[in-house]
Amino acid sequence: MYYRLDERVAASRPPAGISRDIREFLAGYPSQPAPSSSKDTTNLPSDNLTFYNNKSPARPSRLHCDDLHESLRGDYDELEHSHSFIQWLFPIREMGMNWASQPLQPHELTALRSTPSALSRLSTSYSIMLDFYGLQLVNPTTGQLARSSVPAPSPASSVRRYANLLRNSHNFLRITRILKCHSEFGREYLNAPFLLWVLVEQARGELDSPGLKSSMDGYWRYCIRNDDEREWVVDRINKVRRGAEWTEDMYKEALERREKTGSFAEVAEEKV
């Protein structure tokens, strides 16, 4: 079983030359106020906590979490053109474009990470966005992804969804948020499989627009707080950018290796 480190721990080897928001994320947001030592959170902002517990609605939609999921799933026009749901489905400790939403608070994170129903809803949020991007989660344990199984010309096919992703670059910002959210909620193990699948597609000539590559190389690949895992992913991307091979079989083997050993690193065979 893959041993999942606590992804809330700040990275100890942050890479040089990265953007300020990624540096803040990797460091665990040191510029933000320290969490309150009081156990009484009654008067603290808790919009994300109550939303993910399905007790209060998102704003401005006025839909509770389960209803918002039902409303958004498969509605590709709404997923593309609405800019107010992503902050609710993937809360992070940064303000987004929806001023009716609230940045994630430390006490909310502590409570949500220990609430199975809330984590299940987060999984649903990820599933909805993967489908929107033409992807499906085929192994929840390892995070392995694959293309949507829906054939073209259906709007749900990977052909149509990939084209939409490349055409609408605001989705690149959404993906950065999703990756950061996973790290905050103890689901950072999903980030590398996402990145490495995109790399598989790029090696095939898909998802290789300059804009997407710029976001991937400048932001996405650094949204991993585990230093060893981030550095392995960054190195793999760099090698493929220089012409190295990266196939779907290699992708699967890497995820299986991490599941068995806790690391992507290949262990050299001992010489007899």
Side-chain angles (χ1 to χ4, degrees):
M1 176 63 72
Y2 169 43
Y3 180 66
R4 293 166 189 167
L5 298 174
D6 187 344
E7 296 91 354
R8 290 175 298 179
V9 175
S12 60
R13 301 193 296 270
I18 56 174
S19 66
R20 180 178 178 181
D21 69 296
I22 297 294
R23 186 171 293 277
E24 280 279 300
F25 158 77
L26 287 176
Y29 299 99
S31 64
Q32 295 188 6
S36 172
S37 58
S38 173
K39 294 183 179 181
D40 182 8
T41 60
T42 305
N43 296 320
L44 296 178
S46 298
D47 289 352
N48 298 297
L49 177 60
T50 54
F51 171 74
Y52 252 103
N53 281 327
N54 213 43
K55 294 180 179 179
S56 68
R59 296 187 301 273
S61 75
R62 306 303 298 170
L63 293 176
H64 286 63
C65 188
D66 291 347
D67 293 333
L68 184 59
H69 281 155
E70 184 176 354
S71 172
L72 290 173
R73 185 179 291 280
D75 188 341
Y76 300 133
D77 285 340
E78 182 68 13
L79 285 164
E80 178 56 49
H81 298 296
S82 173
H83 300 286
S84 62
F85 69 86
I86 197 73
Q87 298 84 3
W88 292 100
L89 296 190
F90 299 96
I92 58 175
R93 286 186 274 173
E94 302 171 29
M95 195 66 212
M97 292 179 63
N98 178 4
W99 295 102
S101 66
Q102 169 208 291
L104 183 65
Q105 305 297 305
H107 74 280
E108 293 181 305
L109 182 57
T110 299
L112 290 171
R113 281 179 60 123
S114 61
T115 305
S117 60
L119 294 177
S120 177
R121 290 187 178 100
L122 183 61
S123 294
T124 300
S125 296
Y126 188 44
S127 173
I128 289 170
M129 294 309 294
L130 286 177
D131 176 68
F132 177 56
Y133 296 138
L135 303 170
Q136 58 178 322
L137 182 65
V138 297
N139 189 328
T141 302
T142 65
Q144 180 185 336
L145 300 182
R147 290 180 182 178
S148 167
S149 60
V150 179
S154 168
S157 69
S158 61
V159 173
R160 297 280 294 276
R161 304 317 320 149
Y162 279 12
N164 184 80
L165 176 58
L166 294 178
R167 195 166 52 241
N168 296 283
S169 60
H170 69 97
N171 284 294
F172 305 161
L173 295 173
R174 290 173 166 181
I175 290 171
T176 302
R177 171 177 282 270
I178 291 168
L179 297 174
K180 289 178 178 179
C181 181
H182 281 163
S183 292
E184 293 281 32
F185 278 81
R187 299 199 165 187
E188 186 167 279
Y189 72 96
L190 296 169
N191 291 359
F194 178 91
L195 293 163
L196 295 173
W197 176 258
V198 174
L199 195 63
V200 168
E201 294 289 44
Q202 290 173 343
R204 294 168 169 164
E206 302 282 355
L207 299 179
D208 62 349
S209 72
L212 190 147
K213 280 186 174 180
S214 177
S215 289
M216 183 172 178
D217 292 358
Y219 293 89
W220 302 350
R221 64 180 180 173
Y222 297 120
C223 292
I224 300 175
R225 285 176 174 153
N226 182 310
D227 291 316
D228 292 335
E229 187 148 302
R230 183 185 65 253
E231 289 168 7
W232 191 93
V233 169
V234 169
D235 181 64
R236 179 59 51 181
I237 292 172
N238 287 340
K239 287 178 178 177
V240 174
R241 294 282 185 264
R242 294 194 295 266
E245 186 180 31
W246 184 246
T247 66
E248 187 169 352
D249 285 341
M250 295 170 71
Y251 168 74
K252 293 177 181 177
E253 289 169 4
L255 296 188
E256 290 170 1
R257 185 166 61 248
R258 185 184 68 166
E259 179 67 16
K260 291 178 181 178
T261 69
S263 172
F264 282 121
E266 297 181 73
V267 180
E269 295 183 4
E270 293 184 6
K271 295 184 179 180
V272 178

